[in-house]
Amino acid sequence: MTWKKKKGETAGQEPQAASGAAAAEGLSKYKKHLKWAVPLVVVVVIAAAIAIRQAGQAQTVEVAPEYAQTSVTRRTIAQTLSTTGTLNAANSYTVKTLVQGEILSSDFEEGDEVAAGQQLYQIENSDASTNVEQAQISLDQAQRNYDTIADYRYVRSPVAGTVYTLSVKVGDEVSSGQEIAVVQDASQMVLQLTFPSADAAHFAVGQSAQITLDGTFEVLSGTITEVSGSDVLSSGNVLVRNVTITTPNAGTLNTTQSATATVNGISSTNSATFNYKEQRTLTASTAGTVASIYVPEGGAVAEDGIVLELAGDDLEETIQNAYESLRSREISMRNAQDTLSNYTITAPIDGTVIQKNVQAGESVESGKEMCVIYDMSYLEMTINIDELDINQISVGQDVAVTADSVDGTFNGKVTRVSMVGKTEGGTTTYPVTVQVEEYGALRPGMNVNAEIVVEQAADAIAVPNAAIERGDVVLVTTASPSAPNALADMVAPDGYVYVQVETGVSDENYTEITSGLQEGDIVGYVSMDTFSYDDYGSDMMVLGMIAPVLGGTQ
């Protein structure tokens, strides 16, 4: 700020001193004898001080202030907010036990780095292991029971073949055990004959045979698929053995056709009719209504293929009960496994063990704090920002972090700006989270200083803050490049002119000039080094006279 005095005024300090002494003497008297008159004394003193100031102004001779000069330069200016906070680890976890027992192992120590999932403690768990085994047995039984009952709704064929007969249609009611269909495998025909025991004893499964059809004498190729191991006495009192021969069916053979066979020139002792390789009668496993037919009569069905499906309220209830029993066993199994897992205590996070409370060989109760782990991947702190400044803070802003106990400045980042404030004493602040990744020797628990750059101008034309006067005008020397832009209606000291400027970012010492000045300009300003109280004694006298009086009223 530039101080100015009117020209042509004369110096006169004696009246000031006399008036001041009289006022002081009067005040002293009233202070000693009339405390109730203190407010009146204050009014009198203020009035006297104003009179003194007016008298002094009428008699003071202008003393030209001394101006400091500096060149307009370019610099980086940053407007910052400063506050303090306490550092914390990125994450911390207190490991507790949910079970009781003896600690069998604890293969780690304080200061060790541990990974998430790494085993920390093993607690004796024999009872829990037995419970898991029992739960598994119950679950397996429930699963088998459900699979069986759930399959009651389907009538399946145990063999591959053709549905020879189908005894029901959709909508029919069937009872448990009722015959549903007959399935035949007619792709191969089986012929069971007898051969002399002495010869049959040398036959082997897989050996070739020649089949001769009765009536047509057609010869077919066959293969021995079974040879009886015991002898029987035939009707002709001859010892024989049963031999089963199988032959492919091209569709011409049926169960009414009979035939004989020879093996290595040895003829069978009898003739027999063919049988299908497989023929099964399908029955319903439960009562119900035929809901769907998957394979019609004459259709081909695969082994374990579904021929038809049954439905019914009783059937569905039976299946549902079996399912609920299975789910109950699954839950019991999961609970048993969870309990067993509680006996093995693992690290919940990657981090550093900072405290170990229990050693191997000790016994613990449920809820015991076993150890404490810090995630030191970064440090963070929460700072509180005033409501007047919070809108200048945003996620991603740089934060300069310093600590009294650690040398250097550490870079932090704003990672969260809370929308919920806290009001105390009529002032609202908002929590802001700052994260420091490269924290060097900083540690959790340290109190640190945080400085947030809220606005910055790089390579900006700047002048000292004191050079900017009210109305955003600046004194420049008449030789400055910007002097031609002088304000004609403002009177400046000799050798200077006033120019209008526009300002930008400010810090504690400098202000950015966005227009009105240029490099090479020389600005003048009254700095604190050149300011003299002697030039403005009347103002200081007023304050000096009032202060003792106010102090005496306390």
Side-chain angles (χ1 to χ4, degrees):
M1 182 174 181
T2 302
W3 298 81
K4 297 184 176 64
K5 300 182 179 64
K6 298 180 180 179
K7 293 183 179 180
E9 295 178 346
T10 58
Q13 301 300 324
E14 292 78 1
Q16 272 187 343
S19 299
E25 181 179 355
L27 288 173
S28 175
K29 180 178 180 181
Y30 276 100
K31 287 170 65 180
K32 292 179 181 179
H33 303 289
L34 297 174
K35 292 185 178 180
W36 56 268
V38 168
L40 178 60
V41 173
V42 173
V43 173
V44 172
V45 172
I46 295 175
I50 293 173
I52 293 170
R53 175 176 175 86
Q54 291 176 344
Q57 287 178 340
Q59 298 174 6
T60 299
V61 176
E62 178 183 350
V63 178
E66 296 181 6
Y67 291 97
Q69 290 187 350
T70 186
S71 299
V72 173
T73 58
R74 289 186 178 273
R75 64 179 63 240
T76 296
I77 301 174
Q79 182 180 349
T80 61
L81 290 176
S82 297
T83 185
T84 60
T86 302
L87 290 172
N88 297 301
N91 193 9
S92 64
Y93 199 96
T94 299
V95 179
K96 297 182 180 180
T97 176
L98 299 177
V99 296
Q100 63 182 19
E102 180 185 354
I103 303 298
L104 300 181
S105 65
S106 59
D107 301 327
F108 70 98
E109 298 299 334
E110 289 185 3
D112 286 355
E113 297 287 334
V114 295
Q118 177 180 331
Q119 179 176 314
L120 300 177
Y121 293 98
Q122 180 61 58
I123 301 176
E124 197 280 325
N125 62 4
S126 57
D127 290 343
S129 296
T130 300
N131 291 337
V132 169
E133 185 176 357
Q134 292 174 341
Q136 183 65 61
I137 293 173
S138 296
L139 176 60
D140 292 343
Q141 292 173 341
Q143 183 68 63
R144 289 193 298 270
N145 183 59
Y146 172 74
D147 291 342
T148 300
I149 293 177
D151 203 53
Y152 281 173
R153 72 178 72 205
Y154 301 112
V155 175
R156 298 176 181 272
S157 173
V159 297
T162 302
V163 177
Y164 181 66
T165 60
L166 186 63
S167 306
V168 296
K169 61 183 181 298
V170 173
D172 285 354
E173 297 288 336
V174 299
S175 59
S176 178
Q178 179 179 332
E179 181 179 322
I180 300 297
V182 174
V183 176
Q184 296 176 342
D185 180 2
S187 61
Q188 291 181 316
M189 302 298 286
V190 176
L191 187 65
Q192 192 173 64
L193 300 169
T194 58
F195 286 82
S197 295
D199 298 314
H202 301 289
F203 293 171
V205 173
Q207 192 172 354
S208 297
Q210 289 75 43
I211 300 172
T212 302
L213 299 180
D214 291 345
T216 64
F217 302 102
E218 181 181 355
V219 178
L220 305 175
S221 296
T223 303
I224 296 176
T225 54
E226 184 180 352
V227 177
S228 174
S230 60
D231 298 336
V232 295
L233 187 65
S234 68
S235 57
N237 293 322
V238 178
L239 290 176
V240 295
R241 290 188 180 186
N242 290 320
V243 176
T244 303
I245 300 172
T246 301
T247 184
N249 184 11
T252 59
L253 300 178
N254 54 53
T255 56
T256 62
Q257 178 69 55
S258 61
T260 59
T262 60
V263 177
N264 288 336
I266 306 299
S267 299
S268 61
T269 61
N270 69 329
S271 174
T273 56
F274 286 98
N275 291 311
Y276 295 111
K277 180 182 179 181
E278 293 285 357
Q279 178 170 308
R280 299 294 180 87
T281 299
L282 309 184
T283 59
S285 299
T286 185
T289 302
V290 178
S292 298
I293 295 178
Y294 290 82
V295 181
E297 189 171 278
V301 62
E303 182 179 354
D304 201 37
I306 299 173
V307 176
L308 58 82
E309 180 179 356
L310 301 175
D313 293 341
D314 291 343
L315 174 60
E316 294 302 324
E317 183 177 356
T318 302
I319 294 173
Q320 182 63 30
N321 290 338
Y323 173 75
E324 291 172 355
S325 177
L326 173 62
R327 289 290 298 130
S328 177
R329 299 298 188 276
E330 288 175 343
I331 293 172
S332 296
M333 179 64 182
R334 185 164 58 249
N335 290 339
Q337 289 175 328
D338 289 344
T339 300
L340 177 62
S341 68
N342 290 333
Y343 286 84
T344 301
I345 300 177
T346 59
I349 58 174
D350 295 340
T352 303
V353 178
I354 67 164
Q355 185 176 332
K356 182 179 180 182
N357 302 326
V358 183
Q359 304 293 335
E362 298 182 28
S363 294
V364 294
E365 298 293 331
S366 176
K368 172 71 175 178
E369 293 186 359
M370 310 290 281
C371 63
V372 179
I373 301 174
Y374 274 2
D375 175 5
M376 298 291 289
S377 57
Y378 60 86
L379 298 181
E380 68 176 13
M381 63 179 173
T382 299
I383 57 178
N384 295 311
I385 302 298
D386 190 273
E387 60 185 322
L388 299 177
D389 301 317
I390 191 62
N391 287 332
Q392 301 180 75
I393 307 300
S394 59
V395 172
Q397 281 180 310
D398 289 329
V399 182
V401 178
T402 58
D404 294 340
S405 57
V406 178
D407 293 334
T409 300
F410 302 88
N411 182 57
K413 291 281 187 182
V414 174
T415 57
R416 181 175 180 270
V417 180
S418 177
M419 297 297 293
V420 180
K422 181 178 181 181
T423 302
E424 289 184 358
T427 300
T428 301
T429 58
Y430 291 83
V432 172
T433 303
V434 176
Q435 181 174 307
V436 183
E437 294 189 357
E438 301 294 334
Y439 51 84
L442 296 177
R443 295 190 176 193
M446 283 188 175
N447 296 315
V448 295
N449 304 308
E451 190 174 82
I452 305 176
V453 177
V454 297
E455 192 174 6
Q456 181 171 296
D459 194 32
I461 290 178
V463 297
N465 293 338
I468 301 174
E469 300 187 24
R470 180 177 298 177
D472 287 343
V473 296
V474 175
L475 273 179
V476 299
T477 61
T478 55
S480 295
S482 297
N485 300 325
L487 296 171
D489 57 347
M490 291 191 67
V491 178
D494 291 341
Y496 294 94
V497 294
Y498 282 107
V499 294
Q500 187 74 50
V501 298
E502 293 183 4
T503 61
V505 182
S506 297
D507 60 18
E508 293 181 355
N509 301 307
Y510 288 88
T511 297
E512 176 191 14
I513 304 300
T514 59
S515 68
L517 294 180
Q518 56 188 297
E519 289 185 272
D521 287 338
I522 304 297
V523 300
Y525 61 96
V526 178
S527 69
M528 294 303 295
D529 294 335
T530 61
F531 182 82
S532 174
Y533 285 107
D534 293 339
D535 296 336
Y536 309 99
S538 60
D539 291 330
M540 299 303 106
M541 182 180 291
V542 171
L543 296 175
M545 293 173 65
I546 294 175
V549 176
L550 295 178
T553 62
Q554 297 177 352

